[in-house]
Amino acid sequence: MPHHTLFTTDFDGTAKLRRILIAYSVHVNPIIGYCQAMNFIAAMLLVVFDGNEIHSLMGLICIIDHYFPPQYYDQQLTGARADQFLLRDLVTNRLRCDPKVILSEQIMDEITNSVTLNWFLSLFHNAVPWQHRAYLHYKSKLYICGVQ
C-alpha cells in the first residue's frame, strides 16, 4: 500500500493514518492500545473511504471493537492465537486424510505460527495483493456491510 497515491509525498495519507491510529489507541480504546496489524486495516479503510479520517476511524472502531472478540488484540493476542490453533487443527485433520502428506506436529506449529498470525490480525491484508479489484470490492463490502 505504500505506493497508493493516498500515501505518496504529495498527499497527507500517512499523517491521516497516524492520527487515526493515535485517536484509536489513546482516546477510543486505551486498554487495547495499538497493535502492529491495525495500521494495515486503517490504511485500507482510508483507501476505501477516499481519505476520510472520520469514516476510517469509525470503521476501525467497528472492526476492532465489534467485529473481533474482545481478547483478539489483547497483549497476549488470545483471540488471534485461538484462530491459529483452529486453522492448524483444520489443516492437520485435512492432511491426515491424504496418505501422501506426512507432516509432524512441530512442523505444522511452525508453519501456522510463523505465517498466519499476521493474516488474522490484519484481516488477510497481506495475503492477497490489494490492487486486485475483486479483493478491494470484497474488503469494501466486509467493512461497510459486515459479516452476513
Side-chain angles (χ1 to χ4, degrees), residues 67-130:
Y67 178 78
F68 285 111
Q71 298 83 14
Y72 212 84
Y73 285 95
D74 65 8
Q75 288 188 3
Q76 291 79 27
L77 300 173
T78 308
R81 291 183 189 271
D83 280 349
Q84 282 185 300
F85 291 136
L86 177 62
L87 178 65
R88 186 199 63 209
D89 289 347
L90 289 170
V91 170
T92 301
N93 287 335
R94 177 72 175 169
L95 291 178
R96 282 188 187 138
C97 297
D98 189 349
K100 295 180 243 170
V101 178
I102 300 173
L103 290 176
S104 70
E105 276 193 48
Q106 180 182 1
I107 291 173
M108 280 305 299
D109 284 346
E110 289 177 18
I111 290 170
T112 54
N113 290 342
S114 64
V115 173
T116 62
L117 185 62
N118 188 41
W119 289 355
F120 289 124
L121 291 175
S122 67
L123 286 173
F124 297 89
H125 180 271
N126 291 334
V128 178
W130 70 270

Side-chain angles (χ1 to χ4, degrees), residues 25-81:
S25 63
V26 174
H27 302 291
V28 174
N29 198 337
I31 293 171
I32 290 179
Y34 172 76
C35 179
Q36 185 63 38
M38 289 179 185
N39 61 335
F40 297 118
I41 298 170
M44 181 57 73
L45 287 168
L46 273 170
V47 171
V48 168
F49 291 119
D50 295 322
N52 186 311
E53 288 180 69
I54 295 171
H55 291 157
S56 300
L57 176 60
M58 300 316 303
L60 185 66
I61 292 168
C62 288
I63 290 169
I64 303 299
D65 292 352
H66 302 290
Y67 178 78
F68 285 111
Q71 298 83 14
Y72 212 84
Y73 285 95
D74 65 8
Q75 288 188 3
Q76 291 79 27
L77 300 173
T78 308
R81 291 183 189 271

